[in-house]
Amino acid sequence: MGVTPIHVIHPPSLPNISIVFKNESASTTGSLKHRYAWALMSWALLEGHVKNGTHVIEASSGNTACSLGYMCRLLIIAEQLAKSTGGFFMNQFKNAFYAEEFHESGSAPKASANLMHELLRQLNNTPPDVFVHPAGTGGTLSSIGRYAKKYGLKTEIVLADTQYSVYFDYVLNGTFSKNTGAHHWIAPGMAGIGYGAMGPARIAQTTSLDPAVIDRVLKMPDLASTAAMKVARDIGINGGTSTGVNFLAALHIGALLPPERPITVATILADSGKYYETTYFNREWIGAKFEFHGGLKVYDCWCEVIKKCFESGEDPLKIGQE
């Protein structure tokens, strides 16, 4: 698995705030799902679900499947095929809990594949005050939340949801467990984040997101998150859509925290910005795809606001919405 690096930035006018990006794009397969796939595969092997010659099957929008393909050199994509061939359906939604439990060493000093355990070691065993991340399948944030609750860490677990995702309401009110929420979705969304027409949000079936370990939820405007990708890249954080959401949410949280003591807001650089050159970093694409949201005029406004707020310490969501 290896250890992925951290990058620490300090907004110039908020010297007490440290925003720590755990750079999961530095993993071998280029995303935070490398760690997850490693844990799933290790669990499946040690439990005897996967043996020599077993077909390993997963339902995935991309990163988990690619990482599992790297682990086992064989990529098949349907549960039905798993049943018909006698293979094993990895089922990242159902088995996330088992994988993370099998491969985190808790309070022991030895290394662990668990992201939160590894981050604590990199922060000299000082828990961050806040951990913020959006939900694709929800497994990463739920793993971090369960770890924090299990070991009594005083870390607030914040879900930064995208504008038309259903997870905000799923966590707060338990809604969207019987319908898809597709009628709320407005393209293009933030790639890989949130729920469109993928199906009702049901834990262990279509999502790994565990509402019980989430302390707070936020809504991030899609076009503002896209602008935040650019501003983050300009200061040296070159990440994809979730990184934009995380950066915007971290600035918002940092602006509202008390300045009396040092505060650490931890988050994830989940995948590289290089995958988004023709889309979320492309002005022509942004102008066309985000026309409903105000297009380039609103995008440029958000870029200016986020850059200024990074320098001034003000809340970009408040000023940007105004």
Side-chain angles (χ1 to χ4, degrees):
M1 175 57 223
V3 177
T4 58
I6 60 173
H7 305 300
V8 184
I9 62 174
H10 301 279
S13 294
L14 295 173
N16 64 310
I17 302 294
S18 299
I19 300 177
V20 177
F21 283 89
K22 180 77 164 138
N23 186 5
E24 295 292 275
S25 75
S27 66
T28 306
T29 53
S31 82
L32 82 168
K33 295 301 184 180
H34 183 89
R35 180 186 304 276
Y36 187 25
W38 184 92
L40 278 169
M41 183 57 69
S42 298
W43 163 76
L45 287 167
L46 291 166
E47 288 293 306
H49 299 299
V50 174
K51 302 174 183 178
N52 186 29
T54 301
H55 289 183
V56 176
I57 293 93
E58 183 56 278
S60 167
S61 62
N63 283 336
T64 302
C66 289
S67 295
L68 278 171
Y70 172 83
M71 301 299 168
C72 64
R73 304 295 182 181
L74 179 65
L75 180 63
I76 307 170
I77 60 172
E79 181 177 9
Q80 183 178 2
L81 182 58
K83 292 178 180 177
S84 67
T85 62
F88 177 65
F89 180 47
M90 189 67 79
N91 198 341
Q92 60 174 310
F93 306 113
K94 180 180 179 181
N95 296 318
F97 177 80
Y98 301 111
E100 75 187 40
E101 287 299 304
F102 218 95
H103 298 286
E104 62 92 345
S105 50
S107 56
K110 294 183 179 180
S112 166
N114 184 279
L115 189 150
M116 191 62 165
H117 183 89
E118 186 174 297
L119 177 62
L120 286 175
R121 288 167 60 86
Q122 291 174 306
L123 296 177
N124 299 316
N125 293 319
T126 303
D129 298 274
V130 181
F131 198 105
V132 59
H133 189 60
T137 63
T140 300
L141 190 61
S142 295
S143 170
I144 291 162
R146 279 192 288 266
Y147 188 100
K149 292 342 183 220
K150 181 177 180 179
Y151 295 106
L153 305 183
K154 294 181 179 179
T155 301
E156 183 182 25
I157 307 300
V158 179
L159 167 66
D161 203 24
T162 52
Q163 191 168 357
Y164 301 105
S165 166
V166 301
Y167 281 138
F168 183 93
D169 297 292
Y170 174 65
V171 171
L172 280 184
N173 306 309
T175 52
F176 296 106
S177 60
K178 296 183 179 179
N179 53 65
T180 67
H183 57 291
H184 289 292
W185 194 262
I186 295 179
M190 299 303 287
I193 307 174
Y195 249 76
M198 296 174 64
R202 297 194 181 110
I203 193 167
Q205 295 182 39
T206 60
T207 181
S208 306
L209 185 63
D210 184 356
V213 301
I214 308 300
D215 298 313
R216 180 158 47 128
V217 287
L218 302 171
K219 274 281 190 183
M220 300 288 109
D222 288 349
L223 197 49
S225 298
T226 303
M229 290 172 63
K230 181 184 185 305
V231 179
R233 173 182 272 190
D234 289 344
I235 63 170
I237 303 297
N238 184 18
T241 50
S242 62
T243 301
V245 176
N246 286 337
F247 182 52
L248 181 62
L251 291 178
H252 165 71
I253 291 168
L256 300 180
L257 288 172
E260 290 81 16
R261 66 178 181 88
I263 299 287
T264 299
V265 179
T267 187
I268 299 175
L269 198 170
D271 60 357
S272 172
K274 68 182 182 181
Y275 301 121
Y276 303 88
E277 296 292 353
T278 61
T279 54
Y280 293 83
F281 283 119
N282 184 300
R283 287 182 60 82
E284 183 177 343
W285 185 91
I286 293 168
K289 295 295 184 179
F290 281 101
E291 183 178 4
F292 173 85
H293 306 253
L296 287 174
K297 181 178 180 180
V298 174
Y299 169 77
D300 289 338
C301 179
W302 273 116
C303 285
E304 182 180 352
V305 165
I306 295 168
K307 180 180 179 180
K308 287 184 176 179
C309 287
F310 173 71
E311 296 169 351
S312 70
E314 297 174 277
D315 180 3
L317 287 184
K318 179 178 183 295
I319 294 176
Q321 295 286 17
E322 290 174 352

